[in-house]
Each structure stands twice: as structure tokens, then as C-alpha cells.
mmCIF file of all heavy atoms in Angstrom:
data_model
loop_
_atom_site.group_PDB
_atom_site.id
_atom_site.type_symbol
_atom_site.label_atom_id
_atom_site.label_comp_id
_atom_site.label_asym_id
_atom_site.label_seq_id
_atom_site.Cartn_x
_atom_site.Cartn_y
_atom_site.Cartn_z
ATOM 1 N N HIS A 1 188.525 -49.381 -105.721
ATOM 2 C CA HIS A 1 187.227 -49.219 -106.373
ATOM 3 C C HIS A 1 187.239 -48.016 -107.306
ATOM 4 O O HIS A 1 186.224 -47.350 -107.495
ATOM 5 C CB HIS A 1 186.124 -49.068 -105.330
ATOM 6 C CG HIS A 1 185.624 -50.370 -104.795
ATOM 7 N ND1 HIS A 1 184.789 -50.456 -103.711
ATOM 8 C CD2 HIS A 1 185.845 -51.654 -105.198
ATOM 9 C CE1 HIS A 1 184.520 -51.734 -103.473
ATOM 10 N NE2 HIS A 1 185.149 -52.470 -104.363
ATOM 11 N N ALA A 2 188.383 -47.759 -107.918
ATOM 12 C CA ALA A 2 188.520 -46.636 -108.845
ATOM 13 C C ALA A 2 188.783 -47.155 -110.256
ATOM 14 O O ALA A 2 189.165 -48.315 -110.450
ATOM 15 C CB ALA A 2 189.647 -45.711 -108.401
ATOM 16 N N PHE A 3 188.570 -46.268 -111.234
ATOM 17 C CA PHE A 3 188.963 -46.544 -112.612
ATOM 18 C C PHE A 3 190.177 -45.685 -112.945
ATOM 19 O O PHE A 3 190.264 -44.531 -112.516
ATOM 20 C CB PHE A 3 187.825 -46.218 -113.592
ATOM 21 C CG PHE A 3 186.643 -47.130 -113.470
ATOM 22 C CD1 PHE A 3 185.436 -46.673 -112.965
ATOM 23 C CD2 PHE A 3 186.731 -48.454 -113.894
ATOM 24 C CE1 PHE A 3 184.347 -47.510 -112.847
ATOM 25 C CE2 PHE A 3 185.633 -49.306 -113.784
ATOM 26 C CZ PHE A 3 184.443 -48.833 -113.260
ATOM 27 N N TYR A 4 191.102 -46.233 -113.742
ATOM 28 C CA TYR A 4 192.334 -45.537 -114.100
ATOM 29 C C TYR A 4 192.463 -45.449 -115.615
ATOM 30 O O TYR A 4 192.421 -46.475 -116.311
ATOM 31 C CB TYR A 4 193.542 -46.253 -113.499
ATOM 32 C CG TYR A 4 193.455 -46.320 -111.991
ATOM 33 C CD1 TYR A 4 192.825 -47.387 -111.365
ATOM 34 C CD2 TYR A 4 193.941 -45.277 -111.201
ATOM 35 C CE1 TYR A 4 192.701 -47.435 -109.988
ATOM 36 C CE2 TYR A 4 193.819 -45.315 -109.824
ATOM 37 C CZ TYR A 4 193.195 -46.389 -109.222
ATOM 38 O OH TYR A 4 193.051 -46.414 -107.852
ATOM 39 N N TYR A 5 192.548 -44.220 -116.103
ATOM 40 C CA TYR A 5 192.769 -43.923 -117.521
ATOM 41 C C TYR A 5 191.572 -44.288 -118.406
ATOM 42 O O TYR A 5 191.356 -43.656 -119.439
ATOM 43 C CB TYR A 5 194.011 -44.633 -118.066
ATOM 44 C CG TYR A 5 195.259 -44.413 -117.259
ATOM 45 C CD1 TYR A 5 195.929 -45.477 -116.661
ATOM 46 C CD2 TYR A 5 195.771 -43.126 -117.079
ATOM 47 C CE1 TYR A 5 197.083 -45.270 -115.918
ATOM 48 C CE2 TYR A 5 196.918 -42.913 -116.331
ATOM 49 C CZ TYR A 5 197.574 -43.990 -115.754
ATOM 50 O OH TYR A 5 198.701 -43.793 -115.012
ATOM 51 N N LEU A 6 190.785 -45.271 -118.023
ATOM 52 C CA LEU A 6 189.693 -45.765 -118.852
ATOM 53 C C LEU A 6 188.496 -44.822 -118.730
ATOM 54 O O LEU A 6 187.874 -44.722 -117.679
ATOM 55 C CB LEU A 6 189.306 -47.176 -118.416
ATOM 56 C CG LEU A 6 188.234 -47.889 -119.236
ATOM 57 C CD1 LEU A 6 188.675 -48.071 -120.677
ATOM 58 C CD2 LEU A 6 187.911 -49.249 -118.597
ATOM 59 N N THR A 7 188.166 -44.139 -119.824
ATOM 60 C CA THR A 7 187.107 -43.136 -119.769
ATOM 61 C C THR A 7 185.907 -43.461 -120.651
ATOM 62 O O THR A 7 184.878 -42.802 -120.544
ATOM 63 C CB THR A 7 187.664 -41.744 -120.129
ATOM 64 O OG1 THR A 7 186.712 -40.737 -119.808
ATOM 65 C CG2 THR A 7 188.038 -41.646 -121.591
ATOM 66 N N GLY A 8 186.015 -44.477 -121.522
ATOM 67 C CA GLY A 8 184.848 -44.803 -122.329
ATOM 68 C C GLY A 8 184.986 -46.106 -123.091
ATOM 69 O O GLY A 8 186.100 -46.513 -123.458
ATOM 70 N N VAL A 9 183.858 -46.773 -123.293
ATOM 71 C CA VAL A 9 183.747 -47.920 -124.196
ATOM 72 C C VAL A 9 182.577 -47.611 -125.125
ATOM 73 O O VAL A 9 181.444 -47.391 -124.666
ATOM 74 C CB VAL A 9 183.489 -49.231 -123.446
ATOM 75 C CG1 VAL A 9 183.330 -50.385 -124.436
ATOM 76 C CG2 VAL A 9 184.609 -49.530 -122.457
ATOM 77 N N ASP A 10 182.855 -47.556 -126.425
ATOM 78 C CA ASP A 10 181.850 -47.222 -127.424
ATOM 79 C C ASP A 10 181.555 -48.438 -128.286
ATOM 80 O O ASP A 10 182.406 -49.326 -128.455
ATOM 81 C CB ASP A 10 182.339 -46.092 -128.330
ATOM 82 C CG ASP A 10 182.844 -44.888 -127.561
ATOM 83 O OD1 ASP A 10 182.294 -44.603 -126.476
ATOM 84 O OD2 ASP A 10 183.797 -44.235 -128.039
ATOM 85 N N VAL A 11 180.346 -48.470 -128.857
ATOM 86 C CA VAL A 11 179.973 -49.566 -129.744
ATOM 87 C C VAL A 11 179.368 -49.013 -131.023
ATOM 88 O O VAL A 11 178.891 -47.873 -131.064
ATOM 89 C CB VAL A 11 178.966 -50.524 -129.061
ATOM 90 C CG1 VAL A 11 179.572 -51.167 -127.834
ATOM 91 C CG2 VAL A 11 177.660 -49.800 -128.719
ATOM 92 N N THR A 12 179.400 -49.815 -132.077
ATOM 93 C CA THR A 12 178.686 -49.486 -133.312
ATOM 94 C C THR A 12 177.375 -50.255 -133.341
ATOM 95 O O THR A 12 177.241 -51.302 -132.708
ATOM 96 C CB THR A 12 179.508 -49.850 -134.554
ATOM 97 O OG1 THR A 12 179.827 -51.259 -134.516
ATOM 98 C CG2 THR A 12 180.798 -49.053 -134.624
ATOM 99 N N GLY A 13 176.423 -49.718 -134.094
ATOM 100 C CA GLY A 13 175.149 -50.400 -134.247
ATOM 101 C C GLY A 13 174.118 -50.047 -133.199
ATOM 102 O O GLY A 13 172.994 -50.561 -133.227
ATOM 103 N N ALA A 14 174.458 -49.168 -132.254
ATOM 104 C CA ALA A 14 173.488 -48.726 -131.255
ATOM 105 C C ALA A 14 172.702 -47.535 -131.801
ATOM 106 O O ALA A 14 173.003 -46.992 -132.863
ATOM 107 C CB ALA A 14 174.187 -48.357 -129.959
ATOM 108 N N ALA A 15 171.695 -47.100 -131.047
ATOM 109 C CA ALA A 15 170.805 -46.032 -131.505
ATOM 110 C C ALA A 15 171.132 -44.683 -130.880
ATOM 111 O O ALA A 15 170.362 -43.744 -131.013
ATOM 112 C CB ALA A 15 169.364 -46.403 -131.186
ATOM 113 N N GLY A 16 172.287 -44.577 -130.240
ATOM 114 C CA GLY A 16 172.648 -43.339 -129.565
ATOM 115 C C GLY A 16 172.799 -43.567 -128.079
ATOM 116 O O GLY A 16 172.678 -44.700 -127.576
ATOM 117 N N THR A 17 173.051 -42.477 -127.350
ATOM 118 C CA THR A 17 173.403 -42.575 -125.937
ATOM 119 C C THR A 17 172.634 -41.566 -125.097
ATOM 120 O O THR A 17 172.471 -40.410 -125.490
ATOM 121 C CB THR A 17 174.917 -42.351 -125.756
ATOM 122 O OG1 THR A 17 175.625 -43.417 -126.406
ATOM 123 C CG2 THR A 17 175.307 -42.325 -124.292
ATOM 124 N N ILE A 18 172.181 -42.029 -123.925
ATOM 125 C CA ILE A 18 171.647 -41.172 -122.878
ATOM 126 C C ILE A 18 172.770 -40.944 -121.876
ATOM 127 O O ILE A 18 173.351 -41.911 -121.376
ATOM 128 C CB ILE A 18 170.453 -41.829 -122.161
ATOM 129 C CG1 ILE A 18 169.413 -42.347 -123.153
ATOM 130 C CG2 ILE A 18 169.850 -40.866 -121.143
ATOM 131 C CD1 ILE A 18 168.812 -41.311 -124.042
ATOM 132 N N VAL A 19 173.098 -39.698 -121.581
ATOM 133 C CA VAL A 19 174.150 -39.385 -120.617
ATOM 134 C C VAL A 19 173.513 -38.983 -119.298
ATOM 135 O O VAL A 19 172.634 -38.111 -119.262
ATOM 136 C CB VAL A 19 175.058 -38.256 -121.130
ATOM 137 C CG1 VAL A 19 176.090 -37.868 -120.076
ATOM 138 C CG2 VAL A 19 175.767 -38.677 -122.417
ATOM 139 N N THR A 20 173.926 -39.623 -118.207
ATOM 140 C CA THR A 20 173.504 -39.196 -116.876
ATOM 141 C C THR A 20 174.641 -38.390 -116.272
ATOM 142 O O THR A 20 175.763 -38.868 -116.147
ATOM 143 C CB THR A 20 173.141 -40.393 -115.984
ATOM 144 O OG1 THR A 20 174.264 -41.264 -115.830
ATOM 145 C CG2 THR A 20 171.982 -41.177 -116.584
ATOM 146 N N TYR A 21 174.328 -37.155 -115.901
ATOM 147 C CA TYR A 21 175.348 -36.171 -115.537
ATOM 148 C C TYR A 21 175.077 -35.637 -114.141
ATOM 149 O O TYR A 21 173.939 -35.261 -113.834
ATOM 150 C CB TYR A 21 175.333 -35.020 -116.540
ATOM 151 C CG TYR A 21 176.407 -33.984 -116.298
ATOM 152 C CD1 TYR A 21 177.692 -34.182 -116.786
ATOM 153 C CD2 TYR A 21 176.137 -32.829 -115.576
ATOM 154 C CE1 TYR A 21 178.681 -33.247 -116.551
ATOM 155 C CE2 TYR A 21 177.130 -31.889 -115.342
ATOM 156 C CZ TYR A 21 178.399 -32.102 -115.834
ATOM 157 O OH TYR A 21 179.387 -31.184 -115.597
ATOM 158 N N GLY A 22 176.108 -35.580 -113.302
ATOM 159 C CA GLY A 22 175.872 -35.016 -111.985
ATOM 160 C C GLY A 22 176.945 -35.333 -110.971
ATOM 161 O O GLY A 22 178.124 -35.468 -111.295
ATOM 162 N N ASP A 23 176.515 -35.465 -109.720
ATOM 163 C CA ASP A 23 177.425 -35.614 -108.589
ATOM 164 C C ASP A 23 177.364 -37.043 -108.053
ATOM 165 O O ASP A 23 177.149 -37.989 -108.811
ATOM 166 C CB ASP A 23 177.099 -34.559 -107.524
ATOM 167 C CG ASP A 23 175.618 -34.545 -107.140
ATOM 168 O OD1 ASP A 23 174.992 -35.612 -107.106
ATOM 169 O OD2 ASP A 23 175.088 -33.449 -106.860
ATOM 170 N N SER A 24 177.530 -37.208 -106.727
ATOM 171 C CA SER A 24 177.621 -38.552 -106.158
ATOM 172 C C SER A 24 176.338 -39.353 -106.309
ATOM 173 O O SER A 24 176.380 -40.583 -106.379
ATOM 174 C CB SER A 24 177.998 -38.463 -104.675
ATOM 175 O OG SER A 24 177.079 -37.673 -103.947
ATOM 176 N N ILE A 25 175.190 -38.674 -106.355
ATOM 177 C CA ILE A 25 173.937 -39.413 -106.514
ATOM 178 C C ILE A 25 173.852 -40.002 -107.911
ATOM 179 O O ILE A 25 173.444 -41.153 -108.091
ATOM 180 C CB ILE A 25 172.744 -38.506 -106.158
ATOM 181 C CG1 ILE A 25 172.774 -38.212 -104.648
ATOM 182 C CG2 ILE A 25 171.428 -39.162 -106.553
ATOM 183 C CD1 ILE A 25 171.692 -37.284 -104.172
ATOM 184 N N THR A 26 174.239 -39.253 -108.926
ATOM 185 C CA THR A 26 174.349 -39.841 -110.267
ATOM 186 C C THR A 26 175.414 -40.923 -110.292
ATOM 187 O O THR A 26 175.234 -41.987 -110.898
ATOM 188 C CB THR A 26 174.677 -38.749 -111.301
ATOM 189 O OG1 THR A 26 173.543 -37.894 -111.450
ATOM 190 C CG2 THR A 26 175.021 -39.352 -112.657
ATOM 191 N N ASN A 27 176.533 -40.674 -109.615
ATOM 192 C CA ASN A 27 177.626 -41.641 -109.600
ATOM 193 C C ASN A 27 177.232 -42.957 -108.931
ATOM 194 O O ASN A 27 177.845 -43.990 -109.177
ATOM 195 C CB ASN A 27 178.841 -41.042 -108.892
ATOM 196 C CG ASN A 27 180.105 -41.820 -109.130
ATOM 197 O OD1 ASN A 27 180.551 -41.964 -110.256
ATOM 198 N ND2 ASN A 27 180.685 -42.356 -108.065
ATOM 199 N N GLY A 28 176.213 -42.905 -108.054
ATOM 200 C CA GLY A 28 175.746 -44.121 -107.388
ATOM 201 C C GLY A 28 176.369 -44.364 -106.038
ATOM 202 O O GLY A 28 176.353 -45.499 -105.541
ATOM 203 N N HIS A 29 176.890 -43.305 -105.408
ATOM 204 C CA HIS A 29 177.559 -43.458 -104.117
ATOM 205 C C HIS A 29 176.653 -44.174 -103.109
ATOM 206 O O HIS A 29 175.466 -43.889 -103.011
ATOM 207 C CB HIS A 29 177.954 -42.090 -103.570
ATOM 208 C CG HIS A 29 178.766 -42.149 -102.316
ATOM 209 N ND1 HIS A 29 180.071 -42.602 -102.292
ATOM 210 C CD2 HIS A 29 178.454 -41.818 -101.030
ATOM 211 C CE1 HIS A 29 180.528 -42.535 -101.062
ATOM 212 N NE2 HIS A 29 179.566 -42.067 -100.276
ATOM 213 N N ASN A 30 177.255 -45.103 -102.375
ATOM 214 C CA ASN A 30 176.600 -45.931 -101.357
ATOM 215 C C ASN A 30 175.694 -47.015 -101.945
ATOM 216 O O ASN A 30 175.020 -47.721 -101.187
ATOM 217 C CB ASN A 30 175.803 -45.101 -100.349
ATOM 218 C CG ASN A 30 176.691 -44.455 -99.305
ATOM 219 O OD1 ASN A 30 177.900 -44.640 -99.299
ATOM 220 N ND2 ASN A 30 176.093 -43.669 -98.412
ATOM 221 N N SER A 31 175.675 -47.175 -103.261
ATOM 222 C CA SER A 31 175.046 -48.374 -103.809
ATOM 223 C C SER A 31 176.003 -49.546 -103.592
ATOM 224 O O SER A 31 177.175 -49.364 -103.253
ATOM 225 C CB SER A 31 174.727 -48.199 -105.297
ATOM 226 O OG SER A 31 175.911 -48.037 -106.062
ATOM 227 N N THR A 32 175.514 -50.756 -103.778
ATOM 228 C CA THR A 32 176.316 -51.945 -103.494
ATOM 229 C C THR A 32 177.468 -52.073 -104.486
ATOM 230 O O THR A 32 177.228 -52.135 -105.701
ATOM 231 C CB THR A 32 175.448 -53.210 -103.551
ATOM 232 O OG1 THR A 32 174.366 -53.080 -102.630
ATOM 233 C CG2 THR A 32 176.269 -54.446 -103.224
ATOM 234 N N PRO A 33 178.729 -52.107 -104.008
ATOM 235 C CA PRO A 33 179.854 -52.249 -104.931
ATOM 236 C C PRO A 33 179.774 -53.551 -105.734
ATOM 237 O O PRO A 33 179.282 -54.572 -105.246
ATOM 238 C CB PRO A 33 181.074 -52.244 -103.997
ATOM 239 C CG PRO A 33 180.617 -51.541 -102.755
ATOM 240 C CD PRO A 33 179.171 -51.928 -102.611
ATOM 241 N N ASP A 34 180.243 -53.474 -106.959
ATOM 242 C CA ASP A 34 180.306 -54.632 -107.860
ATOM 243 C C ASP A 34 178.935 -55.220 -108.182
ATOM 244 O O ASP A 34 178.838 -56.352 -108.661
ATOM 245 C CB ASP A 34 181.210 -55.728 -107.289
ATOM 246 C CG ASP A 34 182.668 -55.326 -107.261
ATOM 247 O OD1 ASP A 34 183.160 -54.783 -108.262
ATOM 248 O OD2 ASP A 34 183.322 -55.531 -106.216
ATOM 249 N N ALA A 35 177.871 -54.458 -107.935
ATOM 250 C CA ALA A 35 176.525 -54.957 -108.211
ATOM 251 C C ALA A 35 175.804 -54.150 -109.279
ATOM 252 O O ALA A 35 174.721 -54.546 -109.713
ATOM 253 C CB ALA A 35 175.688 -54.963 -106.932
ATOM 254 N N ASP A 36 176.372 -53.011 -109.708
ATOM 255 C CA ASP A 36 175.782 -52.184 -110.758
ATOM 256 C C ASP A 36 174.347 -51.790 -110.425
ATOM 257 O O ASP A 36 173.405 -52.093 -111.167
ATOM 258 C CB ASP A 36 175.847 -52.900 -112.112
ATOM 259 C CG ASP A 36 177.283 -53.149 -112.542
ATOM 260 O OD1 ASP A 36 178.024 -52.170 -112.734
ATOM 261 O OD2 ASP A 36 177.668 -54.330 -112.667
ATOM 262 N N HIS A 37 174.202 -51.080 -109.301
ATOM 263 C CA HIS A 37 172.891 -50.603 -108.883
ATOM 264 C C HIS A 37 172.827 -49.080 -108.822
ATOM 265 O O HIS A 37 172.051 -48.521 -108.050
ATOM 266 C CB HIS A 37 172.508 -51.202 -107.529
ATOM 267 C CG HIS A 37 172.043 -52.620 -107.605
ATOM 268 N ND1 HIS A 37 171.107 -53.043 -108.524
ATOM 269 C CD2 HIS A 37 172.392 -53.719 -106.892
ATOM 270 C CE1 HIS A 37 170.896 -54.345 -108.365
ATOM 271 N NE2 HIS A 37 171.663 -54.780 -107.383
ATOM 272 N N ARG A 38 173.629 -48.398 -109.637
ATOM 273 C CA ARG A 38 173.441 -46.965 -109.816
ATOM 274 C C ARG A 38 172.101 -46.746 -110.529
ATOM 275 O O ARG A 38 171.603 -47.653 -111.195
ATOM 276 C CB ARG A 38 174.567 -46.380 -110.660
ATOM 277 C CG ARG A 38 175.974 -46.775 -110.219
ATOM 278 C CD ARG A 38 176.978 -46.522 -111.334
ATOM 279 N NE ARG A 38 178.291 -47.074 -111.051
ATOM 280 C CZ ARG A 38 178.665 -48.327 -111.305
ATOM 281 N NH1 ARG A 38 177.803 -49.177 -111.869
ATOM 282 N NH2 ARG A 38 179.876 -48.740 -111.017
ATOM 283 N N TYR A 39 171.556 -45.539 -110.443
ATOM 284 C CA TYR A 39 170.291 -45.341 -111.154
ATOM 285 C C TYR A 39 170.480 -45.476 -112.654
ATOM 286 O O TYR A 39 169.579 -45.924 -113.377
ATOM 287 C CB TYR A 39 169.642 -44.017 -110.752
ATOM 288 C CG TYR A 39 169.807 -42.842 -111.684
ATOM 289 C CD1 TYR A 39 169.040 -42.716 -112.848
ATOM 290 C CD2 TYR A 39 170.720 -41.822 -111.394
ATOM 291 C CE1 TYR A 39 169.178 -41.619 -113.697
ATOM 292 C CE2 TYR A 39 170.849 -40.720 -112.230
ATOM 293 C CZ TYR A 39 170.092 -40.626 -113.385
ATOM 294 O OH TYR A 39 170.227 -39.538 -114.220
ATOM 295 N N SER A 40 171.673 -45.136 -113.141
ATOM 296 C CA SER A 40 171.938 -45.278 -114.579
ATOM 297 C C SER A 40 171.916 -46.742 -115.016
ATOM 298 O O SER A 40 171.511 -47.057 -116.146
ATOM 299 C CB SER A 40 173.285 -44.647 -114.929
ATOM 300 O OG SER A 40 174.330 -45.225 -114.157
ATOM 301 N N ASP A 41 172.358 -47.655 -114.142
ATOM 302 C CA ASP A 41 172.313 -49.077 -114.473
ATOM 303 C C ASP A 41 170.874 -49.561 -114.581
ATOM 304 O O ASP A 41 170.510 -50.293 -115.508
ATOM 305 C CB ASP A 41 173.054 -49.893 -113.407
ATOM 306 C CG ASP A 41 174.520 -49.549 -113.306
ATOM 307 O OD1 ASP A 41 175.186 -49.497 -114.351
ATOM 308 O OD2 ASP A 41 175.005 -49.318 -112.188
ATOM 309 N N ASP A 42 170.043 -49.159 -113.613
ATOM 310 C CA ASP A 42 168.636 -49.546 -113.657
ATOM 311 C C ASP A 42 167.928 -48.903 -114.853
ATOM 312 O O ASP A 42 167.043 -49.517 -115.471
ATOM 313 C CB ASP A 42 167.942 -49.147 -112.357
ATOM 314 C CG ASP A 42 168.410 -49.973 -111.165
ATOM 315 O OD1 ASP A 42 168.463 -51.202 -111.294
ATOM 316 O OD2 ASP A 42 168.741 -49.398 -110.125
#
């Protein structure tokens, strides 16, 4: 359940980016794996 070497995917035509910065709570620890339920996803 880790990522290797891959640190970003960028797109053109968007209006900018909101960065969520922090520790395990920002990271989404203990949310459902493979379900994208971090607070940043919501």
C-alpha cells in the first residue's frame, strides 16, 4: 500500500491547486484502503 518514486501528476487547464499538508490525519490513516476517503479526497 505504498507509492514508489511517483511524487506527482500535473495537468494543464486547471485553475490551480489546494495543498493539504500534515501528518497521518492529512494522509488519511485508517481510512478504507483503495476507497479514496481521505479528507483531501472528499
Side-chain angles (χ1 to χ4, degrees):
H1 277 170
F3 292 110
Y4 300 89
Y5 308 119
L6 184 61
T7 192
V9 178
D10 309 326
V11 298
T12 58
T17 295
I18 310 300
V19 176
T20 60
Y21 183 83
D23 52 35
S24 57
I25 292 177
T26 291
N27 194 61
H29 186 70
N30 281 358
S31 64
T32 303
D34 292 315
D36 297 298
H37 283 312
R38 311 162 189 86
Y39 100 78
S40 57
D41 298 311
D42 291 312

